[in-house]
Amino acid sequence: MADLKLITPIEYLKGVGPQKGEVLRKELQIFTLGDLLQHYPFRYIDRTQFHKIGQLTSELPAAQILGRLVQLKESGEKRSKRLIGVFKDDTGSMELVWFQSISWVRKGLKVGSPYIIYGKPTVFNGIFSITHPEMELYQPQAKKTGNLSLQPVYSSTEKLKKFNLDSKGIQRLQQAALAACFSSLEEPLPDYILRDFGLMGFADALLNVHFPQTAKLAHAARQRLKFEELFFIQLRLLRNKQLNTQKYAGHRLRHVGEKFNDFYHNRLPFPLTNAQKRVIREIRSDCNTGAQMNRLVQGDVGSGKTVVALMSMLLAIDNGYQACMMAPTEILASQHYQSVAELLGENRCRIQLLTGSTSSKERKLIHAALENGTLDILIGTHALIEDKVKFKNIGLVVIDEQHRFGVEQRAKLWRKNAIPPHMLVMTATPIPRTLAMTMYGDLDISLIDELPAGRKPIKTVHFFENQRLRVFGFMREEIAKGRQIYIVYPLIKESEKMDLLHLEAGLESLAQEFPLPQYKISIVHGQMPVKDKDFEMQRFIKGETQIMVATTVIEVGVNVPNASVMIIENAERFGLSQLHQLRGRVGRGAEQSYCILISGNKLSKDGRTRLETMVRTHDGFEIAEVDLQLRGPGDLSGTQQSGILDMKIADLARDQQLLAQAREQVIAVFHEDPNLEMEKNRPLARFLENQGGPVISWDKIS
Ligand code: ADP
Ligand code: MG
């Protein structure tokens, strides 16, 4: 049996044994032959492309050079100690530099021998050098015995290298593993899918990913393995989704009733955008299937998610259920409460706010009203999930800014009823499509991809620190027009004290430029007690202060329509999605709004790209896409907890098209053969049987 070979523990492979087995498990999480074969090369050295030392430029991303190591010397003391090698070819001389594992590196090198080296050349005082180069003894005779022109390079660690498991050593193991398994490898993808997509077979792909004869074959092998990886992730996700709809009954919200209609016809102060209408339709039809809804609503800041949430809650109420809405902070919860109460006006819904600062007397009344059904809508913070909060009949739960909540917190809401309530999760952090398809591939996704009409685009500009006086002048003009202004300072956990100093220094110069009594300033930062924060926020919301100086605590959801200027200090230190969220705090009223990004004079390449992107576009999805390209999927906000993004070969930033194809194919498979009973889909049915548990815990959303 092929599968048995692949699950053979790694120490039984020829050339491994217990000791190396232990290191492979610890360092690379390689437990079996299959794991080893999935430790793919991250690069290939092209043995046909060499540089001469005399032709090096510092723009080269990397260079491969054939030369001779003529000298090794150590310089510096203790922590600044380093090993320097002098490396020569017939056009010149350069340096190789090591800062780490010096004695070990030194032991492995032979002065006077020819080497092929590889790395990024940099230049200092006219001398080129490569730090920690990849090195390999040059063996001219190896070429004649049909050496590969593409040499795979595997990631390894210092520890593995001590066991002779550098890239070369791993390559030897790959050869042994392939020899052991090759003849019995079974194709995991159905034939017809291979045919339709023109994919290389599994065994060939493994061979060519590790030992490619040509670049073309390496590419074809990688494409196939990427497709397979993405395909099976989607297969599990969509299978989950299918099972969940079958497993969990949901309340049927059949009809649109008095409260919904009253709101829609008599209260709604603006026409809904087409996107809002579409999403409400999607929610309505979802809530009437007899299955529980699990829907993610993605909409950029200001796209009008609140009203969509409200109308969904009214739908639940019209059908005899209660609804609740949970927000991550007290400020947000009370803003939601206020705007929902305002929108509802004379509509006869009974609504309440429950947060950490609700008095215990009030709290008791709310608990009682929830249980006897005299309360329709409860809005609040984490306080909603306390065990004491019991609903008579909760039909719909809305979670705002879902990524701020932990898994367990969401799960608790889900369990507040025998029949789980419909779940509507809203996020204002746009996620690129590829990420959404993977992270939330088992949810239904609605997009509000349209801003309400008549919004003036926010003017965004980038200034350097030394242009601050101009910014002060502009601030005075805006305040004179009656506008309000945010100034945000970065807050990075490791140096909270430093950042506070920043904020305080900024505040001091502000206080001089904008003196009392003419100007009033609110301050909000993360280290203040909640009460003080709220107090300061409220002063700003009521227009008693003109300037709000804050750290990023105001990032999420705060709505002050009269605030028309967002100034971000040290803007280069913020991530793109954070900048976008912050900018979304302005542009909420009728006036022209501005976002001013202030940065230091020295910018990194990524920092520059981020600021340029902000100036160029307002489209949250476009911004998220740039963010994905810059940082990779694992670092985007909201994705940290998603182990599903740890892929072996596919890359969500680069392989978007493959992902879309894989997902479409899986959808087509389930459409034609929902239970995977057809003969041609047997490999897929078997895969799911062997996989057992779901790819992501269902609790992720609930
Ligand atoms: P977000 O999606 O960021 O939560 P909100 O729901 O807070 O956005 O809406 C932002 C602002 O836009 C609010 O003042 C809201 O009343 C207003 N708004 C929402 N939908 C519309 C619409 N269709 N037309 C005009 N204004 C709208
Ligand atoms: Mg909102």
Side-chain angles (χ1 to χ4, degrees):
M1 285 275 295
D3 295 334
L4 284 182
K5 283 267 171 60
L6 287 177
I7 61 172
T8 306
I10 191 69
E11 64 251 44
Y12 298 124
L13 181 65
K14 207 176 124 206
V16 180
Q19 241 192 349
K20 285 185 185 172
E22 181 67 17
V23 197
L24 283 167
R25 279 193 293 272
K26 279 226 173 97
E27 296 285 299
L28 295 176
Q29 284 76 52
I30 291 175
F31 291 83
T32 64
L33 295 197
D35 293 340
L36 175 67
L37 288 170
Q38 285 198 327
H39 185 61
Y40 301 118
F42 63 88
R43 179 169 86 69
Y44 300 91
I45 298 175
D46 184 349
R47 283 305 187 216
T48 60
Q49 293 282 324
F50 283 91
H51 283 90
K52 292 286 187 188
I53 293 174
Q55 305 165 334
L56 292 181
T57 66
S58 52
E59 277 86 57
L60 278 176
Q64 176 171 244
I65 307 161
L66 172 61
R68 194 173 294 275
L69 181 65
V70 296
Q71 195 192 347
L72 271 181
K73 57 189 179 193
E74 281 177 31
S75 82
E77 289 287 317
K78 293 196 175 149
R79 302 199 70 202
S80 64
K81 192 158 126 178
R82 59 180 120 171
L83 179 65
I84 296 173
V86 180
F87 192 70
K88 278 191 172 158
D89 68 4
D90 52 357
T91 64
S93 157
M94 65 182 294
E95 289 185 346
L96 311 177
V97 185
W98 290 268
F99 299 102
Q100 279 155 17
S101 311
I102 288 178
S103 58
W104 181 74
V105 170
R106 180 161 207 164
K107 240 189 281 168
L109 292 175
K110 290 188 194 134
V111 174
S113 298
Y115 279 93
I116 294 171
I117 65 161
Y118 181 92
K120 157 89 188 131
T122 53
V123 66
F124 185 69
N125 283 343
I127 300 176
F128 276 94
S129 68
I130 294 181
T131 307
H132 285 255
E134 289 171 24
M135 306 258 312
E136 186 193 326
L137 261 182
Y138 176 62
Q139 293 162 309
Q141 69 281 13
K143 258 201 164 155
K144 294 191 195 86
T145 61
N147 205 5
L148 296 166
S149 61
L150 285 182
Q151 177 96 47
V153 185
Y154 297 93
S155 61
S156 179
T157 64
E158 291 305 325
K159 207 153 188 191
L160 280 161
K161 285 177 187 162
K162 286 178 186 157
F163 286 83
N164 271 333
L165 293 175
D166 57 359
S167 178
K168 271 280 158 99
I170 292 174
Q171 192 187 350
R172 277 192 297 276
L173 295 188
Q174 298 291 5
Q175 203 156 14
L178 273 175
C181 305
F182 195 75
S183 60
S184 57
L185 287 174
E186 267 178 35
E187 175 59 59
L189 285 171
D191 282 344
Y192 73 99
I193 292 181
L194 290 182
R195 236 186 2 259
D196 288 355
F197 288 90
L199 298 173
M200 190 185 265
F202 181 55
D204 274 350
L206 276 186
L207 183 64
N208 278 294
V209 78
H210 292 296
F211 302 99
Q213 295 295 328
T214 64
K216 216 170 152 188
L217 283 170
H219 179 74
R222 299 186 78 84
Q223 288 295 101
R224 183 244 137 84
L225 293 168
K226 286 175 176 190
F227 182 90
E228 179 190 322
E229 182 167 47
L230 296 167
F231 180 89
F232 282 113
I233 290 172
Q234 291 300 323
L235 188 75
R236 291 162 76 186
L237 284 167
L238 290 164
R239 177 61 171 175
N240 265 357
K241 186 172 162 195
Q242 199 185 32
L243 290 179
N244 285 320
T245 6
Q246 288 165 7
K247 203 155 70 190
Y248 298 106
H251 307 291
R252 266 185 197 276
L253 307 186
R254 283 174 212 280
H255 56 270
V256 168
E258 178 209 340
K259 296 224 164 66
F260 187 101
N261 280 326
D262 168 67
F263 178 75
Y264 187 67
H265 297 294
N266 308 329
R267 318 272 163 225
L268 196 59
F270 38 68
L272 293 175
T273 64
N274 286 326
Q276 285 171 321
K277 283 185 198 161
R278 187 187 66 241
V279 172
I280 291 170
R281 260 201 312 277
E282 285 166 351
I283 292 167
R284 272 178 55 189
S285 81
D286 248 18
C287 291
N288 193 19
T289 60
Q292 184 215 15
M293 170 176 77
N294 278 280
R295 186 168 280 278
L296 176 77
V297 175
Q298 268 205 63
D300 214 342
V301 275
S303 60
K305 292 183 291 295
T306 314
V307 78
V308 170
L310 174 56
M311 291 177 73
S312 311
M313 293 195 286
L314 292 176
L315 181 69
I317 294 160
D318 274 342
N319 285 275
Y321 298 100
Q322 295 165 302
C324 74
M325 181 165 178
M326 182 163 79
T329 66
E330 228 164 275
I331 294 177
L332 258 185
S334 64
Q335 282 219 342
H336 276 319
Y337 175 76
Q338 279 160 18
S339 52
V340 166
E342 206 168 293
L343 279 166
L344 282 174
E346 304 289 299
N347 188 298
R348 294 200 338 277
C349 272
R350 294 154 297 187
I351 91 170
Q352 285 286 355
L353 176 69
L354 180 67
T355 70
S357 37
T358 307
S359 73
S360 63
K361 194 171 139 208
E362 243 176 302
R363 198 173 282 250
K364 277 200 189 109
L365 290 174
I366 290 175
H367 288 172
L370 275 180
E371 283 199 69
N372 65 30
T374 50
L375 188 56
D376 298 315
I377 297 179
L378 182 62
I379 295 178
T381 55
H382 304 74
L384 294 194
I385 52 185
E386 282 171 15
D387 290 333
K388 275 181 255 162
V389 179
K390 296 199 186 81
F391 293 85
K392 178 163 184 239
N393 200 355
I394 177 92
L396 177 85
V397 170
V398 181
I399 300 180
D400 198 18
E401 304 295 342
Q402 58 85 26
H403 63 274
R404 299 250 166 167
F405 292 99
V407 168
E408 195 40 38
Q409 293 172 324
R410 280 175 264 151
K412 271 192 172 167
L413 270 178
W414 215 44
R415 296 190 209 109
K416 285 213 178 274
N417 223 43
I419 292 184
H422 296 298
M423 304 289 301
L424 190 64
V425 162
M426 306 199 294
T427 170
T429 312
I431 309 172
R433 229 169 73 83
T434 50
L435 273 187
M437 276 196 275
T438 307
M439 287 177 54
Y440 303 112
D442 52 353
L443 305 183
D444 293 297
I445 300 181
S446 288
L447 278 187
I448 309 187
D449 48 5
E450 182 188 355
L451 292 181
R455 286 261 165 91
K456 291 202 184 92
I458 301 161
K459 287 196 178 139
T460 303
V461 288
H462 170 207
F463 282 119
F464 290 102
E465 267 160 6
N466 51 13
Q467 297 168 297
R468 194 174 273 111
L469 282 183
R470 276 180 68 187
V471 177
F472 285 149
F474 176 72
M475 288 170 64
R476 280 192 203 97
E477 287 169 24
E478 286 296 300
I479 292 173
K481 288 188 210 155
R483 304 285 99 76
Q484 288 167 286
I485 296 174
Y486 294 105
I487 304 182
V488 178
Y489 288 83
L491 188 124
I492 294 171
K493 276 257 157 49
E494 296 91 89
S495 57
E496 265 176 28
K497 281 212 180 97
M498 272 279 294
D499 288 319
L500 215 51
L501 283 181
H502 255 106
L503 183 143
E504 275 163 6
L507 205 58
E508 220 165 89
S509 71
L510 270 177
Q512 282 173 12
E513 294 286 334
F514 298 91
L516 283 165
Q518 190 184 354
Y519 299 103
K520 294 189 193 68
I521 304 178
S522 286
I523 306 155
V524 173
H525 62 77
Q527 295 178 346
M528 284 163 74
V530 175
K531 260 216 173 101
D532 299 358
K533 249 193 271 189
D534 271 356
F535 177 76
E536 290 286 312
M537 254 342 273
Q538 288 307 334
R539 289 209 309 154
F540 189 68
I541 291 169
K542 287 183 201 142
E544 293 168 9
T545 57
Q546 300 102 334
I547 301 175
M548 153 80 70
V549 175
T551 53
T552 42
V553 285
I554 61 155
E555 187 187 336
V556 181
V558 172
N559 190 20
V560 183
N562 190 48
S564 63
V565 183
M566 167 61 68
I567 298 173
I568 304 176
E569 290 277 358
N570 285 304
E572 74 275 23
R573 286 173 61 186
F574 289 89
L576 260 179
S577 71
Q578 243 182 341
L579 290 173
H580 180 64
Q581 288 283 323
L582 286 170
R583 178 167 60 185
R585 297 304 112 226
V586 297
R588 299 183 157 238
E591 309 304 327
Q592 175 63 53
S593 290
Y594 303 87
C595 175
I596 300 175
L597 306 168
I598 301 183
S599 80
N601 294 324
K602 259 194 157 169
L603 287 177
S604 68
K605 190 159 159 275
D606 281 7
R608 185 180 304 273
T609 307
R610 288 198 294 271
L611 299 184
E612 281 169 2
T613 304
M614 287 298 293
V615 171
R616 185 186 76 236
T617 179
H618 290 89
D619 180 341
F621 288 95
E622 190 182 336
I623 289 171
E625 199 63 57
V626 176
D627 208 16
L628 175 64
Q629 303 296 339
L630 287 180
R631 294 201 290 164
D635 287 327
L636 295 198
S637 70
T639 66
Q640 286 85 349
Q641 33 173 331
S642 192
I644 191 171
L645 299 175
D646 301 335
M647 298 187 189
K648 298 260 190 264
I649 190 163
D651 174 344
L652 289 180
R654 301 216 176 87
D655 300 321
Q656 315 203 346
Q657 205 186 343
L658 269 182
L659 169 60
Q661 285 175 346
R663 184 167 169 98
E664 269 166 39
Q665 181 58 42
V666 173
I667 291 171
V669 168
F670 278 127
H671 186 72
E672 184 186 44
D673 184 13
N675 297 314
L676 303 181
E677 289 156 343
M678 292 166 78
E679 181 58 31
K680 64 176 186 178
N681 287 326
R682 286 222 13 178
L684 305 182
R686 255 213 330 257
F687 170 85
L688 289 176
E689 276 161 30
N690 293 338
Q691 287 298 312
V695 59
I696 334 178
S697 153
W698 185 237
D699 280 352
K700 185 168 73 69
I701 164 162
S702 39

